[in-house]
Amino acid sequence: RGNDRQRRMASGLEELAAKYEQAQHNAQKAMALFKATREENEDLRNNFERLKQAYQNLQGELRDSVAEKEAARGEVRKVCKERETQFAAWKAELDIKAKQFEEIKSQV
């Protein structure tokens, strides 16, 4: 009867040791998964920050490009208006000269 009890205790201890070993193995696997997930999360966070910075840079470049485009359009409008004014002045001067020419021609 004593041997039977010892065998049962030994069997129970072996079973408990096996369960402990399995739990330890599972804990190691869980820790490895946790570390891998944490590293992946850090990589994702770094990627997000890089993408956010690139997006902000592109937005800044877009604002600059739009401002440059508007400035260029304003300059084109200014040059066109100046050209039209100059053409009008030349036409008026030409009309005066043509009138003077006709007056001189009629006197000759």
Side-chain angles (χ1 to χ4, degrees):
R1 206 171 167 182
N3 281 342
D4 194 34
R5 184 172 183 235
Q6 284 179 343
R7 271 194 297 267
R8 280 194 316 239
M9 281 182 66
S11 174
L13 284 175
E14 286 174 11
E15 189 178 322
L16 190 59
K19 285 181 181 180
Y20 175 77
E21 191 174 315
Q22 185 62 40
Q24 204 171 24
H25 177 73
N26 289 343
Q28 288 171 346
K29 280 174 56 177
M31 186 55 93
L33 286 172
F34 171 76
K35 286 179 182 179
T37 302
R38 185 174 58 192
E39 289 170 6
E40 184 178 335
N41 189 37
E42 187 64 31
D43 289 343
L44 290 171
R45 184 176 305 130
N46 290 336
N47 287 342
F48 171 78
E49 289 301 324
R50 282 193 297 275
L51 287 171
K52 184 173 89 173
Q53 187 62 48
Y55 173 78
Q56 290 171 342
N57 291 343
L58 287 172
Q59 287 295 102
E61 289 175 19
L62 176 62
R63 279 191 300 275
D64 293 346
S65 294
V66 167
E68 288 174 17
K69 180 177 138 191
E70 288 303 315
R73 280 186 174 171
E75 189 64 29
V76 166
R77 282 191 294 270
K78 178 183 169 190
V79 168
C80 286
K81 189 173 182 176
E82 288 173 356
R83 186 189 67 194
E84 288 172 7
T85 303
Q86 185 65 48
F87 286 166
W90 286 341
K91 179 158 179 11
E93 188 178 333
L94 183 61
D95 289 344
I96 291 170
K97 297 287 183 186
K99 189 174 181 181
Q100 288 172 349
F101 176 75
E102 288 301 319
E103 288 173 4
I104 292 171
K105 186 177 165 185
S106 69
Q107 292 175 2
V108 173

